Amino acid sequence: MYNYGNEQQTKTTSVFNGFHQMAGGGDPKWQKDATDQNFDYMFKLLIIGNSSVGKTSFLFRYADDSFTSAFVSTVGIDFKVKTVFRHDKRVKLQIWDTAGQERYRTITTAYYRGAMGFILMYDITNEESFNSVQDWITQIKTYSWDNAQVILVGNKCDMEDERVISFERGKQLADQLGVEFFETSAKENINVKNVFERLVDIICDKMSESLDSDPAMVGGAPKGQRLTDQPQGTPNTNCNC
Amino acid sequence: MANEEVFDDDFYQEDFSTASEFEAFISRLGDIFETYEVVDEEALSSNELSLCEWTEETEDIMFNDFNLSVIRYKAKIKPRETESSKAINQVFQDLTSQENDYSLLDMNYLKHDYEVLNAPKSPNIHPVAVFYGLRDFVVLKSKRKPLMDISQMKLLQSSLSLAINESKCKIPAFIQVLYHEQDVFLGIYDAGEQRLSFDIAHLKTAPPSCKYLSGLLDMFKGKIGVNYINPVMVSVCLTYSLKNFLSATYSSDKKNENDDWDVVDFINVISSLPFGVSADPVNELILYTKWPQVSENVVFDSQTYSDFNPINAQKWSIRTRFDYSPVCYLADMLHEYLTLTESPEALSEYYNFLSSKARISEAQNPFSALTDSRIPGFSGMSLLDGSYTIDGPLNEHQLGKMFQYLLPDEDDEKKFAYGDLKDEPFNPQKIKSAIPDSLVHRLSILLANIYTSYSGRRGVAQFWAEFSQKMRERVDKCMRIPGVANGFPDMRSCLLHQKLQMLNICMERRNIREGKLPFAMQLLAQQHEGPSSLGKTDSDDEFFDCDDDRVVDEEEHAHQSPWNPVGRISKLGKMLLIDSDEPLYIPVTQDPVPKTEDELEDDAEMLLNVTDSGLRAQLMSASLLSDMESFKAANPIGKLEDFIRWYSPRDWIEEDTDERDPFGRKGHLSDRMMIPGNTWQTVWQTAKPVPARRQKRLFDDTKEAEKVLHFLESQTLGSIGQLTVAPLFHTSLIKIQKESENVKDFIPNYKEMEDKLKQNCCTLSREKWNTSKGMSKKKWEMVINDTSEMELSINQARSILKKLYPDKTDFNDDDKKLLNSLMKCYDTELGEGAKNDIGVRVMYMFNLARATQNEQRVEDHSWTLPDPIEKQFTLRLSGNTVNQGMGGPQFLRAILSSNEFRLCGAFSQNTTFTYST
């Protein structure tokens, strides 16, 4: 269970064969990956939730398999990129990590558009962060496209002594919202990878569903999902000399 | 051992059983027949063969030099809920039943191949099923050249007969002969004692003896040669056609293509989308008068006298025939407008002042925009002086009218004022365009009208140039753009709408910066004072525009009195600053920075290209710095801890001791805030106490407004088209919804069509325009097919209403059922025959048409119908014969029309030659 970021052990999950570990933050290697066009799909994911529920730790655990008790509180928005394999397709995940402070709402909600999946996180030791889940859902509904998939995550489940939100309450809320639910611990590396894998899976399902429903209308869709594609037809504001 | 095997092979290769090609063919055919499973089913219900699905099984077979297909046609009959007795012989039963005598579908009409869009597909019911009412049969059909030679037909017929005998084939088998489109079939069915032979005669004109029932009866009886106890049962159908609808002809409002636009109500035409069809989509109304089952001895029909007076017919039914070729105006316009999206010409090719160098450098260099924008003589200003001209095909009067509609607040009458622009509640199928009837929608309607029915590309260029200058003018005068949603650029709306929202925000920010009232309050003030000089440029304002000086001024100010708090909003609860008894004040902060989606994409792109996450944090920290400076200005002795208590309360850990400080002062920063050298600390250290209004603006409204104006001016004609395609389709959808209100209840599959259109518009509106291989254009063109289908259906429905319900507006369920059936071109029965209201109306139309043709007045009492276009007689005999026991069914159908005569016979013969006594 623990330390399954290790290459050999990832083989246990059939879907994610050949899982690639990305090097840490400053390493030029992953930087190269940020502009790498060699992938079949690109999913833009967002991690949202109140301040200090552990969004950044969660992302670092997933992307770098590292944990520090204190990450610098995210200013505005940041991201990490990770490429995974699903059904022999390279899926590039562009995961945006957001600041939870109220003051950053306008900046972060602007990034909701085009996000295909959300990880909505609360802290099981913090009642307020749980109470805000409904607000965050409203934000998603307001600012994202309708087909965005959401997973509710109760983080810090290693801190059993300080728990104030029971698993049942989380599960109940998730059912009510019609989303999937996980309790996780970035510190103990519990369910972190599962959350991402599940999210990628439901996005893929949703995508093939819409491809099935009207193939003519989506012709050539996958590549069109790339955020990095140069906007075509949208006039360039700066040059026309 | 090996030798023996070779011997075996040789032995089997020499197949003595199928010596000739003829025998091989029969054997192969028999093999195919043997694979057919035949299940006895229930009796057919009325029109079941027309409504059910059909399956086809095809096998290929060679006969001489003919490539034949052996196709089995079988109706998928749904099992009945209530068990009823099964027939002794299904074929006999079907042949004697009159439930499927007349096809619900318009066979005469549908069997042609239509190339026209929206035309219905050919039905899959086979002519044999229509002629004989059979549900299960097999047809041998030559693949290419028709079977014309009599001797070959005979040969094939006898082989078929042999194959049927050998394989005990339980279903009738037919050979298609002569030209395929003649639908002539010869068939055999073997049912033990009885043998049925099917025969079709197809002629151009009917022999005189076959024109009336009396002659047909004679022929029928002569052919049978056996006397039955029962009389012949006759089913008659007389068909009448009405093509001249006179005042009931449906026409759409004219498109005004050639009209002088100044004569017609110009603004009404240019501000609405066309809708309608170029010709009446209902081009024929068919009336059937039927006598479903009468005995031969109660009716008489000959050249001199006939009992078949249509007025007295037992059943009346009608059918519509549609013309699928009319042009649908709305779809046609959309189609034409899409061609605009491929125009490469830049606006500046028409109006080169838009590409003046000054303008471009200004857009690229924000500082020049800041410093120069108010200097008179600059190109932007000179435009306002009226010294510019935007020549084009649209005259001043027309432009004036259009802008009255687009920017109604500039017009004194305010005839076209925008309503309350409330966004619809959450809608997952939201089309990325703008709020209905908002400026962007009106703009796209105007552009589409200008482009498609007035002045083409030049007109679009002129109008857009004029529009972008209007926008520039309004920005200069700080006049809010009407018909645009409030607030930050809404990413769920189209880019053009976001850009206009951005302009409004820029002006709003400038207003506030210059100490004027925000727009919302201006409006209130205006209402109190009446029209005032609001919006006129105040020359005094210009002094407040220089930022650099103010920063210096502020620094001096800060130095002079570092402890003077400035820019406070209110106290934060009961909180006191740490190590002091001063209250903690919430500072006035700079407003968040609005962005349009293209700018956000650029931002995201930039972030993605920054390697170092520390650097990214630094990039993101501009607003943090601004907030910290504001905080310091409002709380001169405040510390980072105090800032965090306000800004990120979760990072302030209150000490959980017995004596809790009621003012929240006891505690410490969270671990992450104490990481040495973290962004929060470093920014705090560099932050100076500067109130928000004196800080460097995070959002430079002047520059942003100029960016938007440049965006508008630097479009190509193609990109103007692309920007407005989604709103135009959105307004078209709304138009269709509005137009369909009275008729959607009985348009078949209306809901499905509408949902599909909505969904496709929604999907495409969110996609980026893709010019390669005209990808996006092609996708939108597919949406036009949906649009034209709906437009045509709505007009078909209206045309039917005009003809059958000229004065009625609300319809009961029976009416709706009838209309729905007519929309499907079904043979639709009218209750009570000629006495039915619709029947009376149809009769009236027939008589009106005849009277007009003969230049007579319509007489109330002399209502008659014209000559039928088709007569159909179906003669049936079954039951016991006079002296040969139980007889097989005998069947003859005669179809007489002006250019075609067809006899379909099915005669049974007793094959055992046993005579019962």
Side-chain angles (χ1 to χ4, degrees):
Chain A
M1 182 80 201
Y2 299 110
N3 195 24
Y4 66 7
N6 183 308
E7 290 234 21
Q8 278 85 46
Q9 292 186 17
T10 47
K11 297 242 165 81
T12 49
T13 28
S14 61
V15 186
F16 285 93
N17 280 344
F19 194 83
H20 275 208
Q21 273 304 302
M22 232 66 72
D27 194 315
K29 230 163 98 197
W30 86 246
Q31 186 37 232
K32 205 174 153 199
D33 205 67
T35 48
D36 180 17
Q37 297 292 305
N38 189 18
F39 53 83
D40 300 298
Y41 295 100
M42 199 195 73
F43 293 166
K44 181 179 161 188
L45 311 178
L46 252 84
I47 310 179
I48 57 171
N50 276 12
S51 167
S52 80
V53 296
K55 298 179 289 294
T56 308
S57 308
F58 190 78
L59 179 56
F60 270 76
R61 170 59 81 189
Y62 179 62
D64 302 349
D65 197 23
S66 63
F67 182 80
T68 321
S69 59
F71 279 102
V72 176
S73 177
T74 310
V75 178
I77 193 151
D78 202 359
F79 75 95
K80 276 195 177 291
V81 176
K82 187 170 174 98
T83 307
V84 295
F85 280 78
R86 187 193 189 271
H87 299 324
D88 299 329
K89 293 269 191 266
R90 276 183 70 131
V91 180
K92 181 168 153 184
L93 302 179
Q94 190 185 77
I95 311 157
W96 293 83
D97 179 21
T98 62
Q101 285 89 355
E102 183 67 36
R103 183 74 186 145
Y104 285 111
R105 283 285 167 90
T106 6
I107 295 175
T108 54
T109 51
Y111 285 81
Y112 283 20
R113 194 180 76 98
M116 301 166 84
F118 286 85
I119 294 173
L120 202 180
M121 189 175 290
Y122 67 87
D123 173 356
I124 63 150
T125 68
N126 181 273
E127 177 90 34
E128 195 190 334
S129 72
F130 181 74
N131 292 339
S132 306
V133 167
Q134 188 60 54
D135 283 351
W136 288 107
I137 287 281
T138 314
Q139 301 271 328
I140 294 174
K141 276 198 171 173
T142 317
Y143 295 102
S144 79
W145 290 136
D146 58 293
N147 55 0
Q149 303 299 310
V150 183
I151 288 188
L152 182 65
V153 166
N155 196 25
K156 305 193 188 174
C157 71
D158 53 292
M159 296 164 76
E160 205 49 62
D161 297 344
E162 290 169 56
R163 179 194 279 274
V164 288
I165 306 298
S166 68
F167 181 87
E168 286 68 32
R169 275 182 76 191
K171 182 81 183 91
Q172 199 185 355
L173 180 61
D175 289 347
Q176 195 187 318
L177 297 169
V179 301
E180 298 205 21
F181 174 65
F182 286 88
E183 275 198 355
T184 62
S185 163
K187 187 180 178 185
E188 301 290 340
N189 199 357
I190 299 168
N191 270 341
V192 176
K193 204 160 138 241
N194 291 350
V195 168
F196 282 97
E197 285 176 359
R198 186 65 201 132
L199 188 55
V200 169
D201 276 355
I202 43 186
I203 293 170
C204 285
D205 290 351
K206 178 84 182 179
M207 208 166 64
S208 59
E209 209 174 275
S210 65
L211 281 168
D212 289 345
S213 65
D214 203 346
M217 298 306 294
V218 273
K223 297 279 176 185
Q225 311 280 6
R226 285 185 199 176
L227 195 83
T228 42
D229 269 358
Q230 217 27 43
Q232 282 177 323
T234 331
N236 195 325
T237 348
N238 294 324
C239 101
N240 197 20
C241 349
Chain B
M1 190 71 188
N3 283 343
E4 271 175 29
E5 272 179 20
V6 171
F7 179 72
D8 273 0
D9 281 354
D10 278 348
F11 178 78
Y12 285 113
Q13 272 170 7
E14 208 169 319
D15 190 348
F16 297 109
S17 60
T18 55
S20 70
E21 199 188 348
F22 174 70
E23 282 168 321
F25 171 73
I26 294 171
S27 150
R28 165 94 178 101
L29 200 58
D31 288 348
I32 295 173
F33 290 161
E34 272 172 17
T35 61
Y36 295 155
E37 261 180 60
V38 179
V39 190
D40 277 336
E41 290 163 328
E42 319 287 329
L44 292 173
S45 59
S46 183
N47 288 320
E48 191 164 9
L49 292 180
S50 306
L51 291 170
C52 73
E53 280 181 55
W54 286 79
T55 54
E56 288 180 23
E57 284 173 50
T58 308
E59 294 278 349
D60 289 341
I61 189 167
M62 279 290 288
F63 176 65
N64 287 347
D65 51 345
F66 280 96
N67 254 324
L68 297 175
S69 298
V70 182
I71 311 166
R72 184 202 191 183
Y73 296 89
K74 182 163 185 355
K76 280 192 196 167
I77 305 296
K78 282 190 192 125
R80 301 285 184 272
E81 282 173 11
T82 49
E83 197 78 12
S84 62
S85 63
K86 281 174 184 147
I88 304 154
N89 183 310
Q90 196 166 281
V91 176
F92 288 179
Q93 187 191 37
D94 289 351
L95 205 58
T96 44
S97 155
Q98 39 103 14
E99 295 291 353
N100 284 277
D101 261 358
Y102 304 103
S103 173
L104 196 61
L105 305 166
D106 198 351
M107 296 312 295
N108 289 337
Y109 206 59
L110 286 172
K111 67 183 178 193
H112 305 289
D113 293 327
Y114 287 97
E115 291 288 322
V116 186
L117 183 77
N118 298 328
K121 276 184 268 164
S122 303
N124 42 17
I125 178 169
H126 192 271
V128 164
V130 178
F131 297 148
Y132 296 106
L134 299 176
R135 72 177 83 178
D136 190 3
F137 50 90
V138 56
V139 176
L140 269 73
K141 178 182 175 181
S142 155
K143 272 185 169 174
R144 272 183 294 274
K145 50 181 179 177
L147 204 60
M148 304 293 283
D149 186 60
I150 302 279
S151 61
Q152 269 177 331
M153 284 183 211
K154 292 281 179 207
L155 187 62
L156 197 56
Q157 227 178 338
S158 43
S159 352
L160 181 65
S161 175
L162 284 169
I164 286 172
N165 255 324
E166 278 178 15
S167 64
K168 304 272 177 285
C169 178
K170 292 255 182 54
I171 56 174
F174 293 83
I175 307 164
Q176 180 158 21
V177 297
L178 304 180
Y179 292 110
H180 289 170
E181 56 271 26
Q182 282 185 277
D183 288 334
V184 176
F185 304 88
L186 308 172
I188 307 160
Y189 171 65
D190 206 330
E193 284 183 12
Q194 300 288 345
R195 187 189 180 106
L196 266 176
S197 54
F198 297 86
D199 215 333
I200 289 182
H202 186 237
L203 302 168
K204 257 203 156 66
T205 45
S209 61
C210 296
K211 282 187 174 169
Y212 300 94
L213 181 61
S214 49
L216 288 166
L217 275 169
D218 292 345
M219 191 184 74
F220 185 56
K221 287 176 182 165
K223 175 92 181 161
I224 298 163
V226 182
N227 288 327
Y228 280 68
I229 293 168
N230 295 329
V232 176
M233 293 310 287
V234 185
S235 165
V236 183
C237 174
L238 304 180
T239 308
Y240 301 87
S241 152
L242 178 65
K243 285 185 171 168
N244 185 1
F245 295 106
L246 302 166
S247 62
T249 304
Y250 175 79
S251 66
S252 308
D253 295 336
K254 278 272 154 57
K255 208 186 166 191
N256 294 313
E257 198 142 2
N258 299 315
D259 287 345
D260 184 353
W261 274 21
D262 290 326
V263 177
V264 295
D265 189 356
F266 176 74
I267 194 62
N268 276 344
V269 173
I270 194 108
S271 65
S272 54
L273 290 172
F275 187 87
V277 281
S278 59
D280 193 338
V282 178
N283 63 1
E284 197 176 355
L285 187 69
I286 305 288
L287 168 68
Y288 301 101
T289 59
K290 295 173 190 164
W291 291 261
Q293 200 162 19
V294 287
S295 171
E296 61 170 320
N297 41 34
V298 299
V299 285
F300 186 73
D301 176 58
S302 75
Q303 193 171 2
T304 46
Y305 172 80
S306 175
D307 280 328
F308 299 119
N309 178 356
I311 310 288
N312 303 325
Q314 291 162 11
K315 279 189 178 172
W316 273 40
S317 59
I318 53 173
R319 182 202 297 286
T320 49
R321 279 186 184 164
F322 292 139
D323 180 0
Y324 297 97
S325 63
V327 174
C328 296
Y329 293 147
L330 178 62
D332 190 44
M333 172 196 241
L334 294 174
H335 191 82
E336 209 179 327
Y337 194 67
L338 280 183
T339 61
L340 177 65
T341 61
E342 290 184 325
S343 311
E345 303 103 304
L347 212 53
S348 55
E349 287 176 37
Y350 292 91
Y351 304 105
N352 58 21
F353 70 86
L354 291 175
S355 64
S356 67
K357 283 201 171 117
R359 181 74 51 90
I360 279 169
S361 65
E362 164 203 24
Q364 283 179 342
N365 181 354
F367 292 109
S368 67
L370 282 175
T371 49
D372 295 350
S373 63
R374 293 314 175 91
I375 298 170
F378 177 72
S379 63
M381 292 300 285
S382 68
L383 291 176
L384 297 178
D385 299 341
S387 62
Y388 71 100
T389 44
I390 298 178
D391 288 327
L394 299 165
N395 66 35
E396 209 166 295
H397 170 74
Q398 291 166 337
L399 278 173
K401 288 276 184 198
M402 287 191 250
F403 279 107
Q404 257 180 20
Y405 171 64
L406 195 63
L407 302 168
D409 59 335
E410 288 183 12
D411 173 36
D412 291 336
E413 292 175 43
K414 296 193 171 49
K415 207 165 114 196
F416 298 103
Y418 288 102
D420 205 2
L421 294 181
K422 284 235 176 71
D423 203 358
E424 52 190 325
F426 176 72
N427 173 12
Q429 276 198 339
K430 192 181 167 91
I431 298 170
K432 190 166 149 64
S433 105
I435 300 166
D437 201 35
S438 64
L439 186 139
V440 171
H441 275 213
R442 290 186 184 187
L443 180 66
S444 53
I445 294 174
L446 288 176
L447 284 170
N449 277 318
I450 292 170
Y451 180 67
T452 59
S453 35
Y454 194 58
S455 44
R457 288 176 163 70
R458 276 209 68 86
V460 169
Q462 185 193 5
F463 188 75
W464 189 270
E466 197 73 49
F467 172 71
S468 56
Q469 291 322 297
K470 288 262 183 203
M471 293 300 109
R472 183 170 284 283
E473 211 173 296
R474 292 185 80 107
V475 168
D476 281 329
K477 290 183 186 169
C478 218
M479 283 170 77
R480 189 181 184 280
I481 300 158
V484 173
N486 288 326
F488 272 32
D490 182 355
M491 306 288 161
R492 290 164 306 157
S493 69
C494 65
L495 184 63
L496 181 57
H497 181 251
Q498 293 178 33
K499 292 284 179 191
L500 297 176
Q501 284 184 304
M502 188 60 135
L503 280 186
N504 275 346
I505 290 173
C506 291
M507 289 190 269
E508 181 83 303
R509 291 278 169 96
R510 186 172 126 206
N511 261 339
I512 292 163
R513 195 158 44 82
E514 291 173 356
K516 287 194 223 151
L517 289 172
F519 287 126
M521 291 170 77
Q522 278 182 14
L523 202 71
L524 284 175
Q526 223 170 356
Q527 280 164 357
H528 285 295
E529 294 164 25
S532 70
S533 59
L534 267 174
K536 291 215 174 136
T537 351
D538 196 350
S539 59
D540 294 339
D541 293 348
E542 287 174 22
F543 290 102
F544 297 97
D545 208 32
C546 202
D547 255 19
D548 295 341
D549 291 347
R550 295 179 81 189
V551 174
V552 175
D553 170 53
E554 163 270 330
E555 271 171 2
E556 277 173 1
H557 183 83
H559 279 298
Q560 280 164 7
S561 48
W563 305 110
N564 262 3
V566 265
R568 289 173 166 175
I569 289 184
S570 64
K571 292 177 191 170
L572 177 64
K574 286 198 296 178
M575 296 234 184
L576 298 182
L577 295 176
I578 290 165
D579 301 334
S580 106
D581 288 331
E582 288 261 335
L584 194 161
Y585 282 97
I586 301 172
V588 177
T589 50
Q590 288 205 40
D591 286 331
V593 179
K595 296 247 157 121
T596 54
E597 67 185 30
D598 51 341
E599 290 177 309
L600 262 172
E601 267 161 34
D602 291 347
D603 282 7
E605 187 79 2
M606 189 192 70
L607 269 186
L608 287 167
N609 284 321
V610 173
T611 332
D612 181 36
S613 76
L615 203 62
R616 286 201 297 269
Q618 219 171 316
L619 278 171
M620 296 301 302
S621 62
S623 71
L624 181 63
L625 175 68
S626 157
D627 289 344
M628 282 179 167
E629 294 198 330
S630 306
F631 186 84
K632 280 189 174 175
N635 303 285
I637 58 162
K639 296 178 173 165
L640 177 61
E641 283 80 355
D642 297 314
F643 177 77
I644 295 295
R645 282 161 70 202
W646 162 60
Y647 206 80
S648 183
R650 286 265 281 152
D651 284 300
W652 175 251
I653 317 294
E654 272 194 63
E655 260 153 41
D656 211 9
T657 53
D658 292 341
E659 317 162 42
R660 251 185 133 160
D661 179 34
F663 312 111
R665 285 174 295 188
K666 280 194 182 154
H668 59 86
L669 285 177
S670 65
D671 291 348
R672 60 177 185 172
M673 285 298 173
M674 298 217 270
I675 298 171
N678 80 67
T679 320
W680 298 72
Q681 286 186 0
T682 50
V683 175
W684 180 259
Q685 278 150 25
T686 51
K688 300 186 187 90
V690 186
R693 63 192 160 88
R694 294 199 178 161
Q695 287 168 9
K696 184 173 181 340
R697 278 182 277 157
L698 291 173
F699 176 74
D700 185 336
D701 51 72
T702 322
K703 185 180 140 197
E704 288 298 328
E706 188 50 47
K707 257 168 82 180
V708 175
L709 293 172
H710 179 74
F711 168 85
L712 294 176
E713 288 164 2
S714 61
Q715 297 296 315
T716 64
L717 292 189
S719 58
I720 292 171
Q722 291 158 20
L723 282 174
T724 44
V725 160
L728 185 64
F729 275 76
H730 190 187
T731 52
S732 305
L733 173 68
I734 294 167
K735 176 85 179 172
I736 288 172
Q737 284 168 332
K738 215 179 111 200
E739 298 283 344
S740 70
E741 255 164 39
N742 296 326
V743 292
K744 65 179 171 200
D745 287 349
F746 49 84
I747 293 179
N749 303 324
Y750 180 82
K751 189 87 184 63
E752 288 84 342
M753 286 197 281
E754 192 189 272
D755 285 348
K756 186 178 163 214
L757 180 60
K758 255 193 233 167
Q759 187 53 52
N760 285 342
C761 282
C762 166
T763 314
L764 287 187
S765 67
R766 293 173 185 190
E767 271 179 29
K768 271 206 182 107
W769 195 276
N770 186 346
T771 35
S772 76
K773 293 181 197 155
M775 180 92 93
S776 291
K777 183 169 171 264
K778 276 185 202 146
K779 288 185 182 175
W780 282 107
E781 272 165 358
M782 284 169 53
V783 179
I784 297 180
N785 294 349
D786 305 339
T787 319
S788 95
E789 193 183 352
M790 293 186 79
E791 191 177 9
L792 188 62
S793 308
I794 292 167
N795 283 291
Q796 285 168 344
R798 285 181 177 178
S799 175
I800 295 175
L801 282 187
K802 184 164 184 186
K803 289 169 179 57
L804 301 181
Y805 295 93
D807 309 313
K808 210 165 169 178
T809 45
D810 48 307
F811 307 101
N812 61 30
D813 288 348
D814 286 345
D815 294 331
K816 284 178 189 166
K817 215 173 123 191
L818 178 105
L819 287 163
N820 181 278
S821 167
L822 288 173
M823 283 297 293
K824 290 178 185 159
C825 295
Y826 281 177
D827 181 349
T828 308
E829 200 179 317
L830 307 173
E832 307 168 272
K835 290 185 209 101
N836 181 289
D837 285 348
I838 299 295
V840 172
R841 169 77 192 157
V842 169
M843 194 70 185
Y844 173 77
M845 284 197 293
F846 267 106
N847 280 280
L848 200 63
R850 195 197 47 182
T852 313
Q853 204 181 3
N854 304 338
E855 296 179 359
Q856 289 171 339
R857 282 185 49 223
V858 186
E859 303 287 340
D860 282 348
H861 304 291
S862 66
W863 281 17
T864 51
L865 286 167
D867 287 337
I869 55 159
E870 188 185 288
K871 296 202 275 184
Q872 210 177 113
F873 299 97
T874 311
L875 283 53
R876 290 190 175 92
L877 253 183
S878 60
N880 281 322
T881 58
V882 175
N883 50 15
Q884 292 175 17
M886 188 67 181
Q890 312 288 353
F891 176 99
L892 180 72
R893 171 169 299 192
I895 304 167
L896 300 101
S897 68
S898 57
N899 52 6
E900 199 182 7
F901 171 68
R902 183 186 296 276
L903 278 175
C904 310
F907 301 99
S908 45
Q909 257 182 320
N910 196 316
T911 50
T912 53
F913 303 103
T914 50
Y915 289 77
S916 60
T917 46

